[in-house]
Coordinates of all heavy atoms in Angstrom, one line a residue:
L327 N 217.6 -93.6 70.1 CA 217.2 -93.2 68.8 C 215.7 -93.0 68.7 O 215.2 -92.8 67.5 CB 217.6 -94.3 67.8 CG 219.1 -94.6 67.7 CD1 219.4 -95.7 66.7 CD2 219.9 -93.4 67.3
W328 N 215.0 -93.1 69.8 CA 213.5 -92.9 69.8 C 212.8 -93.9 68.9 O 212.0 -93.5 68.1 CB 213.2 -91.5 69.4 CG 213.6 -90.4 70.4 CD1 214.2 -90.7 71.6 CD2 213.3 -89.0 70.4 NE1 214.4 -89.5 72.3 CE2 213.9 -88.5 71.5 CE3 212.7 -88.2 69.4 CZ2 213.9 -87.1 71.8 CZ3 212.7 -86.8 69.7 CH2 213.3 -86.3 70.9
M329 N 213.2 -95.1 69.0 CA 212.6 -96.2 68.2 C 211.8 -97.1 69.1 O 212.2 -97.3 70.3 CB 213.7 -96.9 67.4 CG 214.4 -96.1 66.4 SD 215.7 -97.1 65.5 CE 214.6 -98.2 64.6
K330 N 210.8 -97.7 68.6 CA 210.0 -98.7 69.3 C 209.6 -99.8 68.4 O 209.0 -99.5 67.3 CB 208.8 -98.0 69.9 CG 207.9 -98.9 70.8 CD 206.8 -98.2 71.4 CE 205.9 -99.1 72.3 NZ 204.8 -98.4 72.9
Q331 N 209.8 -101.0 68.8 CA 209.5 -102.1 67.9 C 207.9 -102.3 68.0 O 207.4 -102.3 69.1 CB 210.2 -103.4 68.4 CG 209.9 -104.6 67.5 CD 210.7 -105.8 68.0 OE1 211.3 -105.7 69.0 NE2 210.7 -106.9 67.2
P332 N 207.3 -102.4 66.8 CA 205.9 -102.7 66.8 C 205.5 -103.9 67.6 O 206.1 -104.9 67.5 CB 205.5 -102.8 65.3 CG 206.7 -102.2 64.6 CD 207.9 -102.4 65.5
G333 N 204.4 -103.8 68.4 CA 204.0 -104.9 69.3 C 204.9 -105.0 70.5 O 205.1 -104.0 71.2
K334 N 205.4 -106.1 70.7 CA 206.3 -106.3 71.9 C 207.7 -106.0 71.5 O 208.3 -106.7 70.6 CB 206.1 -107.8 72.4 CG 206.6 -108.0 73.8 CD 206.1 -109.3 74.3 CE 206.5 -109.5 75.8 NZ 206.0 -110.8 76.3
V335 N 208.3 -105.1 72.2 CA 209.6 -104.7 71.8 C 210.6 -105.8 72.1 O 211.4 -106.1 71.2 CB 210.0 -103.4 72.6 CG1 211.4 -103.0 72.2 CG2 209.0 -102.3 72.2
Y336 N 210.6 -106.4 73.2 CA 211.6 -107.4 73.6 C 210.9 -108.5 74.4 O 210.3 -108.2 75.4 CB 212.7 -106.8 74.4 CG 213.7 -107.8 74.9 CD1 214.5 -108.5 74.0 CD2 213.8 -108.0 76.3 CE1 215.4 -109.5 74.5 CE2 214.7 -109.0 76.7 CZ 215.5 -109.7 75.9 OH 216.3 -110.6 76.3
K337 N 210.9 -109.7 73.8 CA 210.3 -110.8 74.5 C 211.4 -111.8 74.8 O 211.8 -112.6 73.9 CB 209.2 -111.4 73.6 CG 208.5 -112.6 74.2 CD 207.4 -113.1 73.3 CE 206.8 -114.3 73.9 NZ 205.8 -114.9 73.0
P338 N 211.8 -111.9 76.0 CA 212.9 -112.9 76.3 C 212.4 -114.3 76.2 O 211.2 -114.6 76.5 CB 213.3 -112.6 77.8 CG 212.0 -111.9 78.3 CD 211.4 -111.2 77.2
L339 N 213.2 -115.2 75.8 CA 212.9 -116.6 75.6 C 212.7 -117.2 77.0 O 213.4 -117.0 77.9 CB 214.0 -117.3 74.8 CG 214.2 -116.8 73.4 CD1 215.3 -117.6 72.8 CD2 212.9 -116.9 72.6
C340 N 211.7 -118.1 77.1 CA 211.4 -118.8 78.4 C 212.6 -119.8 78.7 O 213.0 -120.6 77.9 CB 210.1 -119.6 78.3 SG 208.7 -118.5 78.0
A341 N 213.0 -119.7 79.9 CA 214.0 -120.6 80.4 C 213.4 -121.9 80.7 O 212.2 -122.1 80.9 CB 214.8 -120.0 81.6
S342 N 214.3 -122.9 80.9 CA 213.8 -124.3 81.2 C 213.0 -124.3 82.6 O 212.0 -125.0 82.7 CB 214.9 -125.3 81.3 OG 215.5 -125.3 80.0
A343 N 213.6 -123.5 83.5 CA 212.9 -123.5 84.9 C 211.5 -122.9 84.8 O 210.6 -123.4 85.4 CB 213.8 -122.7 85.8
E344 N 211.4 -121.9 83.9 CA 210.1 -121.3 83.8 C 209.1 -122.2 83.1 O 207.9 -122.3 83.4 CB 210.2 -120.0 83.0 CG 211.0 -118.9 83.7 CD 211.2 -117.6 82.9 OE1 210.8 -117.7 81.7 OE2 211.7 -116.6 83.4
R345 N 209.6 -122.9 82.1 CA 208.8 -123.9 81.4 C 208.3 -125.0 82.4 O 207.2 -125.4 82.3 CB 209.5 -124.5 80.2 CG 209.7 -123.5 79.1 CD 210.0 -124.2 77.8 NE 211.2 -125.0 77.9 CZ 212.4 -124.6 77.6 NH1 212.7 -123.4 77.2 NH2 213.5 -125.4 77.8
D346 N 209.3 -125.4 83.3 CA 208.9 -126.5 84.2 C 207.8 -125.9 85.2 O 206.9 -126.7 85.6 CB 210.1 -126.9 85.0 CG 211.1 -127.6 84.1 OD1 210.7 -128.1 83.0 OD2 212.3 -127.7 84.5
K347 N 208.0 -124.7 85.6 CA 207.0 -124.1 86.5 C 205.6 -124.1 85.8 O 204.6 -124.3 86.5 CB 207.4 -122.7 86.9 CG 206.5 -122.0 87.9 CD 207.0 -120.6 88.2 CE 206.1 -119.9 89.2 NZ 206.6 -118.6 89.5
I348 N 205.6 -123.7 84.5 CA 204.4 -123.6 83.8 C 203.8 -125.0 83.6 O 202.6 -125.2 83.8 CB 204.6 -123.0 82.4 CG1 205.0 -121.5 82.6 CG2 203.3 -123.0 81.6 CD1 205.3 -120.8 81.4
A349 N 204.7 -126.0 83.4 CA 204.2 -127.4 83.2 C 203.6 -127.9 84.5 O 202.8 -128.8 84.5 CB 205.3 -128.2 82.7
G350 N 204.1 -127.5 85.7 CA 203.7 -128.0 86.9 C 202.3 -127.4 87.4 O 201.7 -127.9 88.3
Q351 N 201.9 -126.4 86.7 CA 200.6 -125.8 87.1 C 199.4 -126.7 86.5 O 199.7 -127.5 85.6 CB 200.5 -124.4 86.5 CG 201.5 -123.4 87.1 CD 201.4 -122.1 86.5 OE1 200.6 -121.8 85.6 NE2 202.3 -121.2 87.0
A352 N 198.3 -126.5 87.1 CA 197.1 -127.3 86.6 C 196.8 -126.9 85.2 O 196.7 -125.7 84.8 CB 195.9 -127.0 87.5
Q353 N 196.6 -127.9 84.3 CA 196.3 -127.7 82.9 C 194.9 -128.2 82.7 O 194.3 -129.0 83.4 CB 197.3 -128.5 82.1 CG 198.7 -128.2 82.3 CD 199.0 -126.7 81.9 OE1 198.4 -126.2 81.0 NE2 199.9 -126.1 82.6
P354 N 194.2 -127.7 81.6 CA 192.9 -128.1 81.3 C 192.8 -129.6 81.1 O 191.8 -130.3 81.4 CB 192.5 -127.3 80.1 CG 193.4 -126.1 80.2 CD 194.7 -126.6 80.8
G355 N 193.8 -130.2 80.5 CA 193.8 -131.7 80.2 C 193.8 -132.5 81.5 O 193.1 -133.5 81.6
I356 N 194.5 -132.0 82.5 CA 194.5 -132.7 83.8 C 193.2 -132.6 84.5 O 192.7 -133.6 85.0 CB 195.6 -132.1 84.7 CG1 197.0 -132.3 84.0 CG2 195.6 -132.7 86.1 CD1 198.1 -131.7 84.8
E357 N 192.6 -131.4 84.5 CA 191.3 -131.3 85.1 C 190.2 -132.2 84.4 O 189.4 -132.7 85.0 CB 190.8 -129.8 85.0 CG 191.7 -128.9 85.8 CD 191.3 -127.4 85.7 OE1 190.3 -127.2 84.9 OE2 191.9 -126.5 86.3
L358 N 190.4 -132.3 83.1 CA 189.4 -133.2 82.4 C 189.6 -134.6 82.8 O 188.6 -135.3 83.0 CB 189.7 -133.1 80.9 CG 188.8 -133.9 80.0 CD1 187.4 -133.6 80.1 CD2 189.3 -133.8 78.5
L359 N 190.8 -135.1 83.0 CA 191.0 -136.5 83.4 C 190.7 -136.7 84.9 O 190.2 -137.8 85.3 CB 192.5 -136.9 83.2 CG 192.9 -137.0 81.7 CD1 194.3 -137.3 81.5 CD2 192.0 -138.0 81.0
E360 N 190.8 -135.7 85.7 CA 190.5 -135.8 87.1 C 189.0 -136.0 87.3 O 188.5 -136.6 88.2 CB 191.0 -134.6 87.9 CG 192.5 -134.6 88.1 CD 192.9 -133.3 88.8 OE1 192.1 -132.4 89.0 OE2 194.1 -133.3 89.3
N361 N 188.3 -135.5 86.4 CA 186.8 -135.6 86.4 C 186.3 -136.9 85.8 O 185.1 -137.3 85.9 CB 186.1 -134.5 85.7 CG 186.4 -133.2 86.5 OD1 186.5 -133.2 87.7 ND2 186.4 -132.1 85.7
A362 N 187.3 -137.7 85.2 CA 186.9 -139.0 84.6 C 186.6 -140.0 85.7 O 187.2 -140.0 86.7 CB 188.0 -139.5 83.7
P363 N 185.5 -140.9 85.5 CA 185.2 -141.8 86.5 C 186.3 -142.8 86.9 O 186.5 -143.1 88.0 CB 184.0 -142.5 85.9 CG 183.4 -141.6 84.9 CD 184.6 -140.9 84.4
T364 N 187.0 -143.3 85.9 CA 188.0 -144.3 86.2 C 189.1 -143.7 87.0 O 189.6 -144.3 88.0 CB 188.6 -144.8 84.8 OG1 187.6 -145.3 84.0 CG2 189.6 -145.9 85.1
Y365 N 189.5 -142.4 86.7 CA 190.5 -141.8 87.5 C 190.1 -141.5 89.0 O 190.8 -141.7 89.9 CB 191.0 -140.5 86.9 CG 191.9 -139.7 87.7 CD1 193.3 -140.1 87.7 CD2 191.5 -138.5 88.4 CE1 194.2 -139.4 88.5 CE2 192.4 -137.8 89.1 CZ 193.8 -138.2 89.2 OH 194.7 -137.5 89.9
R366 N 188.8 -141.2 89.2 CA 188.3 -140.9 90.5 C 188.3 -142.2 91.3 O 188.6 -142.3 92.5 CB 186.9 -140.3 90.5 CG 186.9 -138.8 90.0 CD 185.6 -138.1 90.4 NE 184.5 -138.9 89.9 CZ 183.9 -138.7 88.8 NH1 184.3 -137.8 87.9 NH2 182.8 -139.4 88.4
D367 N 187.9 -143.3 90.6 CA 187.8 -144.6 91.3 C 189.2 -145.1 91.8 O 189.4 -145.5 92.9 CB 187.1 -145.7 90.5 CG 185.6 -145.3 90.2 OD1 185.1 -144.5 91.0 OD2 185.1 -145.8 89.2
R368 N 190.1 -145.0 90.9 CA 191.5 -145.5 91.2 C 192.2 -144.6 92.2 O 192.9 -145.0 93.0 CB 192.3 -145.6 89.9 CG 191.8 -146.7 89.0 CD 192.8 -146.9 87.8 NE 192.4 -148.0 87.1 CZ 192.8 -149.3 87.3 NH1 193.6 -149.5 88.3 NH2 192.4 -150.3 86.5
R369 N 191.8 -143.3 92.2 CA 192.4 -142.4 93.1 C 191.9 -142.6 94.5 O 192.6 -142.6 95.5 CB 192.2 -140.9 92.7 CG 193.0 -139.9 93.6 CD 192.8 -138.5 93.0 NE 193.5 -137.6 93.8 CZ 193.6 -136.3 93.6 NH1 192.8 -135.8 92.6 NH2 194.3 -135.5 94.4
S370 N 190.6 -142.9 94.6 CA 190.0 -143.2 95.9 C 190.5 -144.5 96.4 O 190.6 -144.7 97.6 CB 188.4 -143.3 95.8 OG 188.1 -144.3 94.9
N371 N 190.8 -145.5 95.6 CA 191.4 -146.8 96.0 C 192.9 -146.7 96.4 O 193.4 -147.7 96.8 CB 191.1 -147.9 95.0 CG 189.6 -148.1 94.8 OD1 188.8 -148.0 95.8 ND2 189.2 -148.6 93.6
G372 N 193.5 -145.5 96.0 CA 194.9 -145.4 96.4 C 195.9 -146.1 95.5 O 197.0 -146.4 96.0
S373 N 195.4 -146.5 94.3 CA 196.3 -147.4 93.4 C 197.0 -146.5 92.4 O 197.6 -147.1 91.5 CB 195.4 -148.4 92.8 OG 194.4 -147.8 92.0
A374 N 196.9 -145.2 92.4 CA 197.4 -144.4 91.3 C 198.9 -144.4 91.4 O 199.6 -144.3 90.4 CB 196.8 -143.0 91.4
N375 N 199.5 -144.4 92.6 CA 200.9 -144.2 92.8 C 201.6 -145.4 93.5 O 202.6 -145.2 94.2 CB 201.2 -142.9 93.5 CG 200.8 -141.7 92.7 OD1 200.9 -141.6 91.5 ND2 200.2 -140.8 93.4
Q376 N 201.0 -146.6 93.4 CA 201.6 -147.7 94.1 C 202.2 -148.7 93.1 O 201.7 -149.0 92.1 CB 200.4 -148.5 94.8 CG 199.8 -147.7 96.0 CD 198.7 -148.5 96.7 OE1 198.4 -149.6 96.3 NE2 198.1 -147.8 97.6
S377 N 203.5 -149.2 93.5 CA 204.2 -150.2 92.8 C 204.4 -149.9 91.4 O 204.4 -150.7 90.5 CB 203.5 -151.6 92.9 OG 203.3 -151.9 94.3
G378 N 204.6 -148.6 91.1 CA 204.8 -148.2 89.7 C 203.7 -148.4 88.7 O 203.9 -148.4 87.5
S379 N 202.5 -148.7 89.3 CA 201.4 -149.0 88.4 C 200.9 -147.7 87.7 O 200.1 -147.7 86.7 CB 200.2 -149.6 89.1 OG 199.8 -148.7 90.2
Y380 N 201.4 -146.6 88.2 CA 201.0 -145.3 87.6 C 201.4 -145.2 86.2 O 200.7 -144.7 85.3 CB 201.6 -144.1 88.5 CG 201.4 -142.8 87.8 CD1 200.1 -142.1 88.0 CD2 202.4 -142.2 87.1 CE1 200.0 -140.9 87.4 CE2 202.2 -140.9 86.6 CZ 201.0 -140.3 86.7 OH 200.8 -139.1 86.2
L381 N 202.6 -145.7 85.9 CA 203.2 -145.5 84.6 C 202.5 -146.5 83.6 O 202.5 -146.2 82.4 CB 204.7 -145.8 84.6 CG 205.5 -144.8 85.4 CD1 207.0 -145.2 85.4 CD2 205.3 -143.4 84.8
N382 N 201.9 -147.6 84.1 CA 201.4 -148.6 83.2 C 199.9 -148.7 83.2 O 199.2 -149.5 82.6 CB 201.9 -150.0 83.5 CG 203.4 -150.1 83.3 OD1 203.9 -149.5 82.3 ND2 204.1 -150.7 84.2
D383 N 199.2 -147.8 84.0 CA 197.8 -147.8 84.1 C 197.2 -147.0 82.9 O 197.5 -145.8 82.8 CB 197.3 -147.2 85.4 CG 195.9 -147.5 85.7 OD1 195.2 -147.8 84.7 OD2 195.5 -147.4 86.9
V384 N 196.5 -147.7 82.1 CA 196.0 -147.0 80.8 C 194.9 -146.0 81.2 O 194.7 -145.1 80.4 CB 195.5 -148.1 79.9 CG1 196.6 -149.0 79.4 CG2 194.4 -148.9 80.5
N385 N 194.2 -146.2 82.4 CA 193.2 -145.2 82.7 C 193.8 -143.8 83.1 O 193.1 -142.8 83.2 CB 192.3 -145.8 83.8 CG 191.5 -147.0 83.4 OD1 191.0 -147.0 82.3 ND2 191.4 -148.0 84.3
L386 N 195.1 -143.9 83.5 CA 195.7 -142.6 83.9 C 196.7 -142.1 82.9 O 197.5 -141.2 83.2 CB 196.4 -142.8 85.3 CG 195.6 -143.3 86.4 CD1 196.4 -143.5 87.7 CD2 194.4 -142.3 86.7
I387 N 196.7 -142.7 81.7 CA 197.8 -142.3 80.7 C 197.6 -140.9 80.3 O 198.6 -140.2 79.9 CB 197.7 -143.3 79.5 CG1 198.9 -143.2 78.7 CG2 196.4 -143.0 78.7 CD1 200.1 -143.7 79.4
G388 N 196.4 -140.4 80.3 CA 196.2 -139.0 79.9 C 196.9 -138.0 80.8 O 197.4 -137.0 80.4
I389 N 196.8 -138.4 82.1 CA 197.5 -137.5 83.1 C 199.0 -137.5 82.8 O 199.7 -136.4 82.9 CB 197.2 -138.0 84.5 CG1 195.7 -137.9 84.8 CG2 198.0 -137.1 85.6 CD1 195.3 -138.5 86.1
K390 N 199.5 -138.7 82.5 CA 201.0 -138.7 82.3 C 201.4 -137.9 81.1 O 202.3 -137.2 81.1 CB 201.4 -140.2 82.0 CG 201.3 -141.0 83.3 CD 201.8 -142.5 83.1 CE 200.8 -143.2 82.2 NZ 201.2 -144.6 82.0
Y391 N 200.6 -137.9 80.0 CA 200.9 -137.1 78.8 C 200.7 -135.6 79.1 O 201.3 -134.8 78.5 CB 200.1 -137.6 77.6 CG 200.8 -138.7 76.9 CD1 200.6 -140.0 77.2 CD2 201.7 -138.4 75.9 CE1 201.2 -141.0 76.5 CE2 202.4 -139.4 75.2 CZ 202.1 -140.7 75.5 OH 202.8 -141.7 74.9
A392 N 199.7 -135.3 79.9 CA 199.5 -133.9 80.2 C 200.6 -133.3 81.0 O 200.9 -132.1 80.8 CB 198.1 -133.7 81.0
N393 N 201.2 -134.1 81.9 CA 202.3 -133.6 82.7 C 203.6 -133.9 82.1 O 204.7 -133.6 82.7 CB 202.2 -134.2 84.1 CG 201.0 -133.7 84.9 OD1 200.6 -132.6 84.7 ND2 200.4 -134.6 85.7
Y394 N 203.6 -134.5 80.9 CA 204.9 -134.9 80.3 C 205.7 -133.6 79.8 O 205.1 -132.8 79.2 CB 204.6 -135.8 79.1 CG 205.8 -136.1 78.3 CD1 206.9 -136.9 78.8 CD2 205.9 -135.6 77.0 CE1 208.0 -137.1 78.0 CE2 207.0 -135.9 76.2 CZ 208.0 -136.6 76.7 OH 209.1 -136.9 75.9
T395 N 206.9 -133.5 80.2 CA 207.8 -132.4 79.8 C 208.6 -132.8 78.6 O 208.8 -134.0 78.3 CB 208.6 -131.9 80.9 OG1 209.5 -133.0 81.3 CG2 207.8 -131.5 82.1

Side-chain angles (χ1 to χ4, degrees):
L327 301 176
W328 292 1
M329 296 181 65
K330 184 177 181 182
Q331 187 176 4
K334 199 169 185 179
V335 177
Y336 173 66
K337 181 181 178 181
L339 300 178
C340 297
S342 299
E344 295 178 352
R345 290 198 301 268
D346 295 341
K347 181 179 179 182
I348 295 175
Q351 297 176 358
Q353 303 294 329
I356 298 178
E357 295 178 358
L358 178 62
L359 291 178
E360 286 179 348
N361 295 328
T364 306
Y365 175 74
R366 290 199 306 268
D367 295 342
R368 291 187 174 272
R369 187 174 182 181
S370 61
N371 295 329
S373 59
N375 296 320
Q376 294 180 2
S377 303
S379 60
Y380 172 81
L381 294 176
N382 296 321
D383 194 339
V384 295
N385 293 320
L386 300 180
I387 195 69
I389 300 176
K390 290 183 290 182
Y391 272 90
N393 292 328
Y394 171 68
T395 61

